[in-house]
Amino acid sequence: MDHGAGFSAGPALKLSTRARDPRFVCLALALLSVGVTLFHPTLKLSRPVFDHIVVVDITRSMNVADYRVESRSTSRLETVKSALRSALRELPCGSRLGLGLFTERRSFLLFEPIEVCRGFEAVDTAIEHIDWRMAWGADSRIADGLYDALNQFQNYGSNLVFVTDGQEAPPLNPRYKREFGAFKGKLRGLIVGAGGLSPAPIPKFDERGEAVGFYSEDDVPHRSSFGLPPKPPSEIEGYHERNAPFGSERVIGTEHLSSLKEDYLRQLADETGLVYRRLEKPEELSLALKSPEFARLEAVAADIRWLPAGLALAALVVLYGILPFRLR
Amino acid sequence: MNLAVDHAWVLPFLGLALLPLVRLPVTGFDAPWNALLPADAQSRVWTWLIKLMGVVAITGLVLGLAGLHREEYAVDRVGNGAHIVLLLDRSQSMDHSFAGRATSGAEEAKSAAAERLLSEFVSERKNDRTGVAAYSTGPLFVLPLTDDREAVLAAVRALRLPALAQTHIGKGLLLALSYFAGQALTGSRIVLLVSDGAAVVDPDSEQKLRKLFKEHQIRLYWIFLRTLGSPGIFEIPEYPRDDNASVRPERYLHLFFESLGIPYKAYEAENPAALRQAIADIDRIESLPIHYQARIPRLDLTPLCYGAAGFALLLLIGVKLSEAESWEKA
């Protein structure tokens, strides 16, 4: 009962004869490849991910509206928040982001770094809710806040991203300067400068949180009156040990206006071993956060089943599509 | 429940699966006169099977390469759980021990004990949606209500870091209540306040709080971490002149909570063991049925695709091995 494409009832022919049949070779190759696929071969690859603790300055000067986003003037804080949210979207899965706030002289961690894909919604909402009203004090001691951040977060193995406009308030007394020696180079990271370079008025809010104009010259101290005066008494005009240790001169400056203090932040970056970057457009932050120097290489098992599966498919295409119908 | 692929561009290659319908993998040869062969039902079945196996093999491979999977989907389940907002006191005194001292080796800070036990609480309650709020001088939004337990733990662990300044509880409570605005009313809604002190609630906040607690149907738990020797929330002062909100803010906050007309329970914990007891008690009470959305994770179907292709190929190999040799060679 043999017919056109038939079978022999007898035992299988020797394998050596089969090996000469290209159809058989194709099928065997395809079967072998699929077999390999079923064992789920993977390749150890390392890909860059980024762990950051971002500390955002929420002091009053961050309310200055000197950014223009889509031709609307936007406050520094709002710009920083939208920059952070778009950066969060662009960090590769496996990266982690922790969020902290700076005001007074402290950096306060809201949460430890959270994985950015699984925790996206939670972290995104948390960034959205950052508000200057969360502040627990009115001072803006940037060097102290940075020192606090370096001190508290040194063991997290994350990079520190400190976002500020550099406006110390009240002004620093040069006699009392924060020394960063112990922390220099311990943490990698960025100091991100937010704000415009020309002085702009700082919005003022009443106790209900409603805007009531801007700070005026008389609202803020224009020099430090903390501790000992920076100069020896003989050089201070109108010095009186008890009544006027800093002199009797009325000092009016521009502390009621605020601009990005780039030189100061560069100096801080230099002292702490961080990198200074200015935030000019919200989109720039994600690039800075994905800079290769901040990457941690994470080992991932890349799926390479496509390789044997593709080979099997190719073998079948040869079998069915390319080999002539009649083979001799 | 949806099927989807990762690499849609591979799908057009499914057209290749038509090839086995027109070509056979077996070697054909000429019979002297085909018409001589009788019609044979068994052969037809075999021919079709061989074609089908070819189709299955190619389809399986292409779908596998495209990354066929069932997408993640949500099902409504009823379980035990709650919407919980942890409202954490981050004032400086939380960093002291229960004995009211700065911590030394043997004594655990109140914040550290709270961190440890709250972490356990959060890890064990699987169906809760948990949010985290904190307050010091200002209210601190930490995390919204979320299913992501890892995120909540990351926020609770931050309790280990130094705390901030003063206590402004009114703003903190208002923040915690704001978490429930616009949330579906399902399961119990809990505010779990963990603090070691209290402050006077200003009249403005008081009015808002009375309204919101009712409106959102909140159940309130207050774990008061009492420092040794300080007056508790239940104690009535010895002298009537001390019985006012500025001398005994804890007691008056307690009275305020009681007057809200909502389910409310206060616990005083003077040591970590009492804190554990309080948390276990809340865990036991708050196991009301809750409707929640369970996520059925994505199911990878590629092993199935490759498996089917492998099976088909195995059969084809079998066919090949039992193939008759051509008459001419034989």
Side-chain angles (χ1 to χ4, degrees):
Chain A
M1 47 166 262
D2 278 331
H3 33 79
F7 314 99
S8 70
L13 290 172
K14 271 189 291 180
L15 223 59
S16 57
T17 20
R18 297 291 175 203
R20 262 182 276 128
D21 178 0
R23 296 182 204 276
F24 181 79
V25 173
C26 283
L27 268 179
L29 188 64
L31 181 66
L32 200 72
S33 304
V34 171
V36 171
T37 308
L38 291 177
F39 282 100
H40 208 303
T42 53
L43 197 64
K44 279 264 181 296
L45 287 181
S46 57
R47 58 168 186 190
V49 294
F50 304 87
D51 297 344
H52 296 294
I53 291 182
V54 182
V55 177
V56 181
D57 182 346
I58 54 167
T59 55
R60 301 292 172 87
S61 58
M62 289 296 281
N63 291 328
V64 173
D66 57 1
Y67 274 103
R68 292 201 81 78
V69 178
E70 286 162 8
S71 73
R72 230 161 34 91
S73 70
T74 311
S75 81
R76 292 172 188 170
L77 191 56
E78 287 307 318
T79 310
V80 166
K81 280 161 64 176
S82 68
L84 260 178
R85 291 176 71 184
S86 65
L88 177 68
R89 267 191 296 280
E90 287 182 24
L91 285 173
C93 285
S95 302
R96 288 178 299 170
L97 195 82
L99 192 62
L101 304 172
F102 156 74
T103 190
E104 199 206 8
R105 51 207 75 204
R106 295 281 315 278
S107 287
F108 179 77
L109 189 67
L110 291 173
F111 47 78
E112 291 184 354
I114 292 174
E115 202 276 327
V116 295
C117 287
R118 255 179 305 121
F120 176 81
E121 216 182 308
V123 178
D124 190 56
T125 314
I127 296 172
E128 190 188 341
H129 276 83
I130 296 177
D131 192 300
W132 67 271
R133 293 176 187 83
M134 289 176 168
W136 52 91
D139 288 2
S140 172
R141 285 273 178 243
I142 288 155
D144 289 348
L146 184 58
Y147 183 91
D148 190 37
L150 288 167
N151 182 28
Q152 285 192 73
F153 309 146
Q154 55 182 324
N155 295 326
Y156 278 105
S158 297
N159 309 299
L160 175 66
V161 180
F162 198 88
V163 191
T164 178
D165 54 12
Q167 172 108 2
E168 295 269 3
L172 278 184
N173 183 340
R175 184 184 277 272
Y176 305 98
K177 215 178 130 305
R178 194 44 106 167
E179 292 296 335
F180 288 99
F183 293 113
K184 178 158 185 170
K186 269 209 172 162
L187 276 179
R188 284 180 304 175
L190 287 168
I191 294 182
V192 177
L197 296 177
S198 48
I202 305 171
K204 192 174 172 179
F205 296 88
D206 65 9
E207 58 184 15
R208 290 170 174 278
E210 277 153 36
V212 287
F214 298 96
Y215 282 93
S216 71
E217 284 177 355
D218 303 329
D219 287 331
V220 295
H222 291 271
R223 66 164 180 206
S224 168
S225 53
F226 163 78
L228 292 173
K231 289 184 283 188
S234 54
E235 291 172 28
I236 300 174
E237 204 187 305
Y239 174 83
H240 183 280
E241 199 179 343
R242 187 190 66 199
N243 294 338
F246 285 78
S248 62
E249 201 183 357
R250 182 174 147 81
V251 181
I252 286 295
T254 55
E255 291 297 327
H256 59 296
L257 302 175
S258 170
S259 61
L260 171 59
K261 306 284 189 290
E262 281 207 287
D263 292 337
Y264 180 53
L265 293 179
R266 278 211 186 86
Q267 177 206 326
L268 285 179
D270 196 43
E271 287 171 22
T272 52
L274 302 176
V275 178
Y276 174 75
R277 284 264 190 291
R278 182 177 171 203
L279 181 71
E280 287 186 74
K281 292 198 191 75
E283 311 84 72
E284 292 169 351
L285 187 62
S286 82
L287 277 181
L289 293 188
K290 287 192 295 181
S291 158
E293 54 186 317
F294 303 131
R296 168 171 66 89
L297 288 180
E298 188 186 59
V300 283
D303 184 357
I304 50 163
R305 283 181 301 173
W306 58 270
L307 205 67
L311 195 65
L313 188 62
L316 290 182
V317 167
V318 169
L319 170 64
Y320 285 106
I322 294 176
L323 289 182
F325 190 60
R326 293 287 158 97
L327 206 64
R328 269 304 108 166
Chain B
M1 195 162 103
N2 284 319
L3 294 181
V5 292
D6 292 322
H7 315 289
W9 60 270
V10 183
L11 290 182
F13 288 98
L14 278 176
L16 294 175
L18 296 177
L19 282 176
L21 296 180
V22 291
R23 312 273 291 245
L24 285 175
V26 288
T27 310
F29 50 84
D30 296 322
W33 191 23
N34 279 350
L36 276 176
L37 296 170
D40 172 12
Q42 204 189 353
S43 301
R44 291 224 175 119
V45 170
W46 273 109
T47 311
W48 272 106
L49 264 179
I50 291 169
K51 287 181 175 179
L52 183 69
M53 288 307 126
V55 173
V56 167
I58 293 182
T59 310
L61 285 172
V62 174
L63 288 180
L65 281 166
L68 185 71
H69 61 267
R70 195 192 64 204
E71 285 183 323
E72 178 187 278
Y73 66 103
V75 287
D76 281 324
R77 293 247 169 94
V78 177
N80 300 323
H83 289 168
I84 301 184
V85 173
L86 304 175
L87 179 57
L88 309 173
D89 184 352
R90 297 295 273 132
S91 64
Q92 219 123 54
S93 51
M94 284 289 284
D95 285 351
H96 296 162
S97 71
F98 281 94
R101 287 190 290 262
T103 51
S104 58
E107 287 171 340
E108 194 179 23
K110 283 177 277 190
S111 54
E115 184 271 328
R116 189 164 49 84
L117 295 164
L118 283 176
S119 288
E120 274 177 30
F121 178 73
V122 170
S123 314
E124 277 163 22
R125 293 181 59 95
K126 299 271 179 263
N127 302 329
D128 290 341
R129 276 167 67 78
T130 314
V132 184
Y135 66 94
S136 163
T137 315
L140 297 159
F141 186 101
V142 180
L143 280 182
L145 285 168
T146 174
D147 301 320
D148 185 358
R149 216 162 307 285
E150 284 306 313
V152 177
L153 287 173
V156 172
R157 276 198 302 270
L159 268 175
R160 287 194 173 275
L161 293 171
L164 291 171
Q166 310 292 320
T167 306
H168 196 138
I169 195 159
K171 282 187 191 169
L173 286 166
L174 282 172
L175 174 68
L177 292 181
S178 76
Y179 280 47
F180 294 105
Q183 293 277 340
L185 195 66
T186 164
S188 41
R189 312 168 125 207
I190 297 167
V191 171
L192 174 53
L193 167 63
V194 181
S195 84
D196 71 332
V200 184
V201 177
D202 56 290
D204 212 25
S205 307
E206 192 184 317
Q207 281 317 308
K208 282 188 209 155
L209 285 172
R210 280 189 191 286
K211 189 170 144 282
L212 288 173
F213 266 116
K214 278 269 196 223
E215 201 173 288
H216 293 320
Q217 304 181 24
I218 305 293
R219 306 158 71 85
L220 175 66
Y221 292 91
W222 182 16
I223 300 185
F224 178 71
L225 304 176
R226 182 177 170 183
T227 310
L228 215 69
S230 73
I233 48 183
F234 305 119
E235 222 171 281
I236 295 163
E238 208 173 325
Y239 305 106
R241 65 162 189 266
D242 286 343
D243 198 4
N244 61 61
S246 40
V247 177
R248 288 292 183 81
E250 305 87 5
R251 178 169 139 72
Y252 274 80
L253 188 62
H254 175 59
L255 292 175
F256 169 62
F257 286 155
E258 280 192 322
S259 73
L260 288 172
I262 55 164
Y264 162 63
K265 195 158 182 192
Y267 298 88
E268 252 184 18
E270 288 115 347
N271 50 53
L275 176 59
R276 173 187 292 276
Q277 197 60 48
I279 289 178
D281 195 45
I282 296 169
D283 188 25
R284 189 178 49 75
I285 302 172
E286 288 307 335
S287 296
L288 293 175
I290 179 179
H291 278 277
Y292 69 98
Q293 296 238 302
R295 303 231 136 253
I296 307 298
R298 164 191 164 126
L299 180 68
D300 185 12
L301 296 175
T302 54
L304 201 70
C305 298
Y306 290 136
F311 181 67
L313 286 171
L314 202 63
L315 287 182
L316 284 177
I317 288 272
V319 167
K320 235 12 216 171
L321 283 176
S322 45
E323 194 176 43
E325 244 194 318
S326 92
W327 292 39
E328 284 148 52
K329 277 192 208 155

